[in-house]
Amino acid sequence: MNYHYATLRRPITEESRRWVSEDFPEISLIQAPDLREKVIDAWSYALCCSGFHRITDIPSDGNPGSPAFKRGTQADHVRGVFRYARVVARDFQETYPGVAIDWDILLAGAACHDVGKPYEFDESNRKRWAEAPAQAGAPTFRHSVFGMHVCLVVGLPDEVAHIAVGHSFEGDHMGVSTECMIVRQADHGWWHVAGALGLIREDTMEGLAGNLRSR
C-alpha cells in the first residue's frame, strides 16, 4: 500500500516568498516583524507543499467547486477577508474604546485563515482522493485543518493556528477566541455579500445562507 506524506515538493526560495508578498500586499500591515515574516513563511510553505506557485494560481472557490466565485483568484478572497476583518475590528474599537483586540493576532490570523487551501485545492491531491476515498479520506484534511498544521510548522503562535482551524466549520465544535470570531464573521460575511451581489455562481450557493438571493 502506498502512503502519502504532505511535505515540501520544492524548496522555499526568496522568489517564492516575494510572490507571496506581491499577491497579498496587506500582509505588510501586520506590525510585529516576527509575525509578519512567519505569515509569509506559512504561505510559502503551504504553496511549496502543493503544485501551486502563487496565491493567484489557486482557484477563487470557498471549497473546491462550491461556493464558486465568478472571477479572480484565491488572492481576491483572502485579501478581501483581511480588509473586512480589519474594518470591522477598527469600527468596534473606535466606537467602544474600552474593547481589547490583539491586532497582531487578528491580522496574522486573517492573513492565514485560508493558508491550507493550496493543499486542499491541489490537483494531484484531489485526483488521489477521488480515485480512492477509502484510502485516506476525501479530503484527508480540509484546508482549515491543514492550515492549522502549516501555522504550527512555521512557528506561528497557537492563537493564529486557532484562527486557521476555527474560521470554518471546525469552529462550530469549539470555543473560539475573540479574534477568531472576527475573522469567522469576515470570512462568512464576505461570501454572503458576494453571493447577494451576484458574484457567486448560483448553482454553487447551496452551502451559503438559505435565505440568500443573488442579484
Side-chain angles (χ1 to χ4, degrees), residues 15-45:
E15 183 178 47
S16 63
R17 289 173 53 81
R18 176 171 55 80
W19 285 342
V20 171
S21 297
E22 288 177 357
D23 290 350
F24 201 160
E26 288 82 1
I27 291 173
S28 65
L29 296 173
I30 300 170
Q31 294 300 301
D34 183 54
L35 279 182
R36 186 169 61 245
E37 290 303 308
K38 285 182 177 177
V39 166
I40 296 172
D41 289 342
W43 272 105
S44 300
Y45 180 88

mmCIF file of all heavy atoms in Angstrom, residues 15-45:
data_model
loop_
_atom_site.group_PDB
_atom_site.id
_atom_site.type_symbol
_atom_site.label_atom_id
_atom_site.label_comp_id
_atom_site.label_asym_id
_atom_site.label_seq_id
_atom_site.Cartn_x
_atom_site.Cartn_y
_atom_site.Cartn_z
ATOM 1 N N GLU A 15 12.339 33.891 -4.033
ATOM 2 C CA GLU A 15 11.354 34.189 -5.064
ATOM 3 C C GLU A 15 9.956 33.769 -4.632
ATOM 4 O O GLU A 15 8.998 34.522 -4.822
ATOM 5 C CB GLU A 15 11.711 33.475 -6.364
ATOM 6 C CG GLU A 15 10.758 33.810 -7.510
ATOM 7 C CD GLU A 15 11.158 33.142 -8.808
ATOM 8 O OE1 GLU A 15 11.457 31.924 -8.774
ATOM 9 O OE2 GLU A 15 11.177 33.823 -9.854
ATOM 10 N N SER A 16 9.827 32.601 -4.028
ATOM 11 C CA SER A 16 8.506 32.153 -3.580
ATOM 12 C C SER A 16 7.982 33.059 -2.477
ATOM 13 O O SER A 16 6.777 33.342 -2.420
ATOM 14 C CB SER A 16 8.563 30.695 -3.111
ATOM 15 O OG SER A 16 9.402 30.531 -1.987
ATOM 16 N N ARG A 17 8.862 33.535 -1.604
ATOM 17 C CA ARG A 17 8.441 34.465 -0.552
ATOM 18 C C ARG A 17 8.036 35.813 -1.164
ATOM 19 O O ARG A 17 7.066 36.431 -0.722
ATOM 20 C CB ARG A 17 9.581 34.657 0.463
ATOM 21 C CG ARG A 17 9.823 33.430 1.344
ATOM 22 C CD ARG A 17 11.062 33.617 2.214
ATOM 23 N NE ARG A 17 11.007 34.853 2.966
ATOM 24 C CZ ARG A 17 10.342 35.021 4.106
ATOM 25 N NH1 ARG A 17 9.655 34.007 4.616
ATOM 26 N NH2 ARG A 17 10.344 36.170 4.722
ATOM 27 N N ARG A 18 8.771 36.243 -2.175
ATOM 28 C CA ARG A 18 8.435 37.513 -2.826
ATOM 29 C C ARG A 18 7.076 37.432 -3.509
ATOM 30 O O ARG A 18 6.295 38.395 -3.478
ATOM 31 C CB ARG A 18 9.534 37.880 -3.835
ATOM 32 C CG ARG A 18 9.238 39.150 -4.636
ATOM 33 C CD ARG A 18 10.454 39.589 -5.458
ATOM 34 N NE ARG A 18 10.939 38.534 -6.327
ATOM 35 C CZ ARG A 18 10.396 38.213 -7.493
ATOM 36 N NH1 ARG A 18 9.331 38.878 -7.939
ATOM 37 N NH2 ARG A 18 10.908 37.241 -8.238
ATOM 38 N N TRP A 19 6.777 36.302 -4.117
ATOM 39 C CA TRP A 19 5.477 36.128 -4.763
ATOM 40 C C TRP A 19 4.333 36.248 -3.755
ATOM 41 O O TRP A 19 3.279 36.800 -4.064
ATOM 42 C CB TRP A 19 5.422 34.781 -5.464
ATOM 43 C CG TRP A 19 6.205 34.733 -6.744
ATOM 44 C CD1 TRP A 19 6.640 35.792 -7.495
ATOM 45 C CD2 TRP A 19 6.658 33.553 -7.423
ATOM 46 N NE1 TRP A 19 7.328 35.356 -8.606
ATOM 47 C CE2 TRP A 19 7.349 33.996 -8.592
ATOM 48 C CE3 TRP A 19 6.548 32.189 -7.170
ATOM 49 C CZ2 TRP A 19 7.927 33.087 -9.491
ATOM 50 C CZ3 TRP A 19 7.117 31.286 -8.062
ATOM 51 C CH2 TRP A 19 7.792 31.736 -9.206
ATOM 52 N N VAL A 20 4.537 35.719 -2.550
ATOM 53 C CA VAL A 20 3.506 35.841 -1.515
ATOM 54 C C VAL A 20 3.260 37.316 -1.193
ATOM 55 O O VAL A 20 2.114 37.775 -1.132
ATOM 56 C CB VAL A 20 3.905 35.076 -0.235
ATOM 57 C CG1 VAL A 20 2.939 35.397 0.909
ATOM 58 C CG2 VAL A 20 3.939 33.570 -0.491
ATOM 59 N N SER A 21 4.320 38.065 -1.012
ATOM 60 C CA SER A 21 4.187 39.496 -0.694
ATOM 61 C C SER A 21 3.538 40.262 -1.832
ATOM 62 O O SER A 21 2.757 41.195 -1.597
ATOM 63 C CB SER A 21 5.567 40.087 -0.384
ATOM 64 O OG SER A 21 6.134 39.480 0.757
ATOM 65 N N GLU A 22 3.842 39.886 -3.060
ATOM 66 C CA GLU A 22 3.244 40.567 -4.209
ATOM 67 C C GLU A 22 1.753 40.253 -4.329
ATOM 68 O O GLU A 22 0.951 41.139 -4.643
ATOM 69 C CB GLU A 22 3.961 40.143 -5.488
ATOM 70 C CG GLU A 22 5.364 40.708 -5.629
ATOM 71 C CD GLU A 22 6.082 40.207 -6.878
ATOM 72 O OE1 GLU A 22 5.503 39.366 -7.603
ATOM 73 O OE2 GLU A 22 7.212 40.656 -7.124
ATOM 74 N N ASP A 23 1.386 39.011 -4.089
ATOM 75 C CA ASP A 23 -0.012 38.606 -4.244
ATOM 76 C C ASP A 23 -0.874 39.007 -3.061
ATOM 77 O O ASP A 23 -2.101 39.071 -3.185
ATOM 78 C CB ASP A 23 -0.102 37.084 -4.439
ATOM 79 C CG ASP A 23 0.445 36.624 -5.780
ATOM 80 O OD1 ASP A 23 0.730 37.497 -6.642
ATOM 81 O OD2 ASP A 23 0.588 35.402 -5.969
ATOM 82 N N PHE A 24 -0.249 39.254 -1.907
ATOM 83 C CA PHE A 24 -1.004 39.549 -0.675
ATOM 84 C C PHE A 24 -0.326 40.733 0.027
ATOM 85 O O PHE A 24 0.223 40.594 1.115
ATOM 86 C CB PHE A 24 -1.000 38.312 0.217
ATOM 87 C CG PHE A 24 -2.104 38.253 1.241
ATOM 88 C CD1 PHE A 24 -2.458 37.028 1.805
ATOM 89 C CD2 PHE A 24 -2.781 39.385 1.661
ATOM 90 C CE1 PHE A 24 -3.471 36.943 2.748
ATOM 91 C CE2 PHE A 24 -3.788 39.317 2.611
ATOM 92 C CZ PHE A 24 -4.135 38.085 3.155
ATOM 93 N N PRO A 25 -0.382 41.928 -0.580
ATOM 94 C CA PRO A 25 0.355 43.073 -0.029
ATOM 95 C C PRO A 25 -0.128 43.514 1.347
ATOM 96 O O PRO A 25 0.626 44.160 2.088
ATOM 97 C CB PRO A 25 0.133 44.169 -1.078
ATOM 98 C CG PRO A 25 -1.091 43.758 -1.828
ATOM 99 C CD PRO A 25 -1.070 42.260 -1.843
ATOM 100 N N GLU A 26 -1.362 43.163 1.711
ATOM 101 C CA GLU A 26 -1.875 43.560 3.029
ATOM 102 C C GLU A 26 -1.106 42.929 4.180
ATOM 103 O O GLU A 26 -1.180 43.414 5.332
ATOM 104 C CB GLU A 26 -3.370 43.195 3.144
ATOM 105 C CG GLU A 26 -4.294 44.066 2.305
ATOM 106 C CD GLU A 26 -4.377 43.628 0.855
ATOM 107 O OE1 GLU A 26 -3.717 42.622 0.474
ATOM 108 O OE2 GLU A 26 -5.086 44.283 0.079
ATOM 109 N N ILE A 27 -0.345 41.876 3.916
ATOM 110 C CA ILE A 27 0.475 41.282 4.973
ATOM 111 C C ILE A 27 1.403 42.323 5.580
ATOM 112 O O ILE A 27 1.736 42.264 6.770
ATOM 113 C CB ILE A 27 1.280 40.081 4.416
ATOM 114 C CG1 ILE A 27 0.326 38.922 4.071
ATOM 115 C CG2 ILE A 27 2.334 39.607 5.412
ATOM 116 C CD1 ILE A 27 1.013 37.759 3.360
ATOM 117 N N SER A 28 1.789 43.317 4.813
ATOM 118 C CA SER A 28 2.699 44.366 5.310
ATOM 119 C C SER A 28 2.071 45.185 6.432
ATOM 120 O O SER A 28 2.782 45.895 7.158
ATOM 121 C CB SER A 28 3.115 45.295 4.169
ATOM 122 O OG SER A 28 1.997 46.022 3.671
ATOM 123 N N LEU A 29 0.751 45.101 6.605
ATOM 124 C CA LEU A 29 0.065 45.857 7.655
ATOM 125 C C LEU A 29 0.210 45.206 9.024
ATOM 126 O O LEU A 29 -0.142 45.811 10.039
ATOM 127 C CB LEU A 29 -1.422 46.005 7.312
ATOM 128 C CG LEU A 29 -1.724 46.825 6.052
ATOM 129 C CD1 LEU A 29 -3.212 46.770 5.721
ATOM 130 C CD2 LEU A 29 -1.266 48.265 6.220
ATOM 131 N N ILE A 30 0.711 43.977 9.081
ATOM 132 C CA ILE A 30 0.965 43.332 10.370
ATOM 133 C C ILE A 30 2.177 44.015 10.994
ATOM 134 O O ILE A 30 3.264 44.032 10.407
ATOM 135 C CB ILE A 30 1.227 41.821 10.179
ATOM 136 C CG1 ILE A 30 -0.002 41.154 9.536
ATOM 137 C CG2 ILE A 30 1.555 41.156 11.513
ATOM 138 C CD1 ILE A 30 0.239 39.721 9.082
ATOM 139 N N GLN A 31 1.995 44.585 12.166
ATOM 140 C CA GLN A 31 3.036 45.429 12.745
ATOM 141 C C GLN A 31 4.205 44.646 13.337
ATOM 142 O O GLN A 31 5.344 45.090 13.268
ATOM 143 C CB GLN A 31 2.422 46.334 13.822
ATOM 144 C CG GLN A 31 1.426 47.356 13.277
ATOM 145 C CD GLN A 31 2.076 48.291 12.261
ATOM 146 O OE1 GLN A 31 3.038 48.990 12.558
ATOM 147 N NE2 GLN A 31 1.542 48.291 11.037
ATOM 148 N N ALA A 32 3.945 43.500 13.925
ATOM 149 C CA ALA A 32 5.021 42.726 14.555
ATOM 150 C C ALA A 32 5.878 42.069 13.477
ATOM 151 O O ALA A 32 5.383 41.227 12.725
ATOM 152 C CB ALA A 32 4.434 41.668 15.481
ATOM 153 N N PRO A 33 7.159 42.436 13.382
ATOM 154 C CA PRO A 33 8.006 41.900 12.294
ATOM 155 C C PRO A 33 8.082 40.375 12.277
ATOM 156 O O PRO A 33 8.042 39.769 11.210
ATOM 157 C CB PRO A 33 9.380 42.532 12.574
ATOM 158 C CG PRO A 33 9.089 43.745 13.396
ATOM 159 C CD PRO A 33 7.894 43.401 14.223
ATOM 160 N N ASP A 34 8.184 39.751 13.454
ATOM 161 C CA ASP A 34 8.310 38.304 13.511
ATOM 162 C C ASP A 34 7.051 37.628 12.979
ATOM 163 O O ASP A 34 7.127 36.678 12.181
ATOM 164 C CB ASP A 34 8.586 37.858 14.942
ATOM 165 C CG ASP A 34 8.801 36.354 15.046
ATOM 166 O OD1 ASP A 34 9.670 35.831 14.319
ATOM 167 O OD2 ASP A 34 8.094 35.710 15.834
ATOM 168 N N LEU A 35 5.893 38.117 13.393
ATOM 169 C CA LEU A 35 4.639 37.547 12.900
ATOM 170 C C LEU A 35 4.492 37.768 11.401
ATOM 171 O O LEU A 35 4.060 36.871 10.663
ATOM 172 C CB LEU A 35 3.442 38.168 13.622
ATOM 173 C CG LEU A 35 3.080 37.621 15.004
ATOM 174 C CD1 LEU A 35 1.840 38.324 15.527
ATOM 175 C CD2 LEU A 35 2.838 36.118 14.950
ATOM 176 N N ARG A 36 4.830 38.960 10.952
ATOM 177 C CA ARG A 36 4.709 39.278 9.529
ATOM 178 C C ARG A 36 5.557 38.327 8.679
ATOM 179 O O ARG A 36 5.086 37.798 7.662
ATOM 180 C CB ARG A 36 5.136 40.728 9.295
ATOM 181 C CG ARG A 36 4.912 41.205 7.868
ATOM 182 C CD ARG A 36 5.106 42.706 7.768
ATOM 183 N NE ARG A 36 6.440 43.136 8.140
ATOM 184 C CZ ARG A 36 6.724 43.894 9.196
ATOM 185 N NH1 ARG A 36 5.758 44.322 9.993
ATOM 186 N NH2 ARG A 36 7.973 44.247 9.457
ATOM 187 N N GLU A 37 6.790 38.080 9.107
ATOM 188 C CA GLU A 37 7.668 37.191 8.357
ATOM 189 C C GLU A 37 7.170 35.756 8.401
ATOM 190 O O GLU A 37 7.256 35.021 7.403
ATOM 191 C CB GLU A 37 9.094 37.275 8.908
ATOM 192 C CG GLU A 37 9.782 38.595 8.614
ATOM 193 C CD GLU A 37 9.828 38.900 7.120
ATOM 194 O OE1 GLU A 37 10.291 38.017 6.361
ATOM 195 O OE2 GLU A 37 9.386 39.985 6.714
ATOM 196 N N LYS A 38 6.618 35.348 9.538
ATOM 197 C CA LYS A 38 6.144 33.964 9.648
ATOM 198 C C LYS A 38 4.850 33.746 8.864
ATOM 199 O O LYS A 38 4.578 32.616 8.427
ATOM 200 C CB LYS A 38 5.976 33.579 11.118
ATOM 201 C CG LYS A 38 7.328 33.337 11.787
ATOM 202 C CD LYS A 38 7.201 32.915 13.233
ATOM 203 C CE LYS A 38 8.588 32.632 13.811
ATOM 204 N NZ LYS A 38 8.537 32.277 15.247
ATOM 205 N N VAL A 39 4.054 34.794 8.686
ATOM 206 C CA VAL A 39 2.889 34.680 7.808
ATOM 207 C C VAL A 39 3.357 34.422 6.371
ATOM 208 O O VAL A 39 2.800 33.576 5.653
ATOM 209 C CB VAL A 39 2.003 35.940 7.888
ATOM 210 C CG1 VAL A 39 0.993 35.984 6.748
ATOM 211 C CG2 VAL A 39 1.286 35.992 9.237
ATOM 212 N N ILE A 40 4.393 35.143 5.940
ATOM 213 C CA ILE A 40 4.960 34.897 4.613
ATOM 214 C C ILE A 40 5.533 33.486 4.541
ATOM 215 O O ILE A 40 5.358 32.769 3.540
ATOM 216 C CB ILE A 40 6.030 35.949 4.284
ATOM 217 C CG1 ILE A 40 5.393 37.343 4.195
ATOM 218 C CG2 ILE A 40 6.749 35.606 2.978
ATOM 219 C CD1 ILE A 40 6.381 38.476 4.053
ATOM 220 N N ASP A 41 6.189 33.052 5.635
ATOM 221 C CA ASP A 41 6.711 31.682 5.691
ATOM 222 C C ASP A 41 5.578 30.667 5.531
ATOM 223 O O ASP A 41 5.728 29.654 4.836
ATOM 224 C CB ASP A 41 7.409 31.420 7.031
ATOM 225 C CG ASP A 41 8.726 32.161 7.187
ATOM 226 O OD1 ASP A 41 9.288 32.606 6.164
ATOM 227 O OD2 ASP A 41 9.195 32.292 8.336
ATOM 228 N N ALA A 42 4.447 30.943 6.199
ATOM 229 C CA ALA A 42 3.327 29.996 6.178
ATOM 230 C C ALA A 42 2.789 29.818 4.759
ATOM 231 O O ALA A 42 2.594 28.686 4.294
ATOM 232 C CB ALA A 42 2.221 30.473 7.116
ATOM 233 N N TRP A 43 2.546 30.918 4.076
ATOM 234 C CA TRP A 43 2.037 30.815 2.713
ATOM 235 C C TRP A 43 3.083 30.188 1.786
ATOM 236 O O TRP A 43 2.743 29.383 0.912
ATOM 237 C CB TRP A 43 1.615 32.189 2.198
ATOM 238 C CG TRP A 43 0.200 32.523 2.542
ATOM 239 C CD1 TRP A 43 -0.240 33.404 3.499
ATOM 240 C CD2 TRP A 43 -0.968 31.970 1.930
ATOM 241 N NE1 TRP A 43 -1.615 33.433 3.518
ATOM 242 C CE2 TRP A 43 -2.088 32.566 2.573
ATOM 243 C CE3 TRP A 43 -1.184 31.042 0.921
ATOM 244 C CZ2 TRP A 43 -3.406 32.247 2.213
ATOM 245 C CZ3 TRP A 43 -2.484 30.715 0.572
ATOM 246 C CH2 TRP A 43 -3.582 31.319 1.211
ATOM 247 N N SER A 44 4.351 30.521 1.982
ATOM 248 C CA SER A 44 5.406 29.934 1.156
ATOM 249 C C SER A 44 5.465 28.425 1.366
ATOM 250 O O SER A 44 5.574 27.653 0.404
ATOM 251 C CB SER A 44 6.764 30.564 1.497
ATOM 252 O OG SER A 44 6.757 31.951 1.268
ATOM 253 N N TYR A 45 5.393 28.008 2.618
ATOM 254 C CA TYR A 45 5.429 26.584 2.935
ATOM 255 C C TYR A 45 4.231 25.864 2.328
ATOM 256 O O TYR A 45 4.370 24.808 1.684
ATOM 257 C CB TYR A 45 5.453 26.394 4.451
ATOM 258 C CG TYR A 45 5.496 24.948 4.896
ATOM 259 C CD1 TYR A 45 6.714 24.282 5.049
ATOM 260 C CD2 TYR A 45 4.321 24.242 5.160
ATOM 261 C CE1 TYR A 45 6.752 22.953 5.445
ATOM 262 C CE2 TYR A 45 4.350 22.915 5.552
ATOM 263 C CZ TYR A 45 5.563 22.279 5.695
ATOM 264 O OH TYR A 45 5.598 20.961 6.080
#
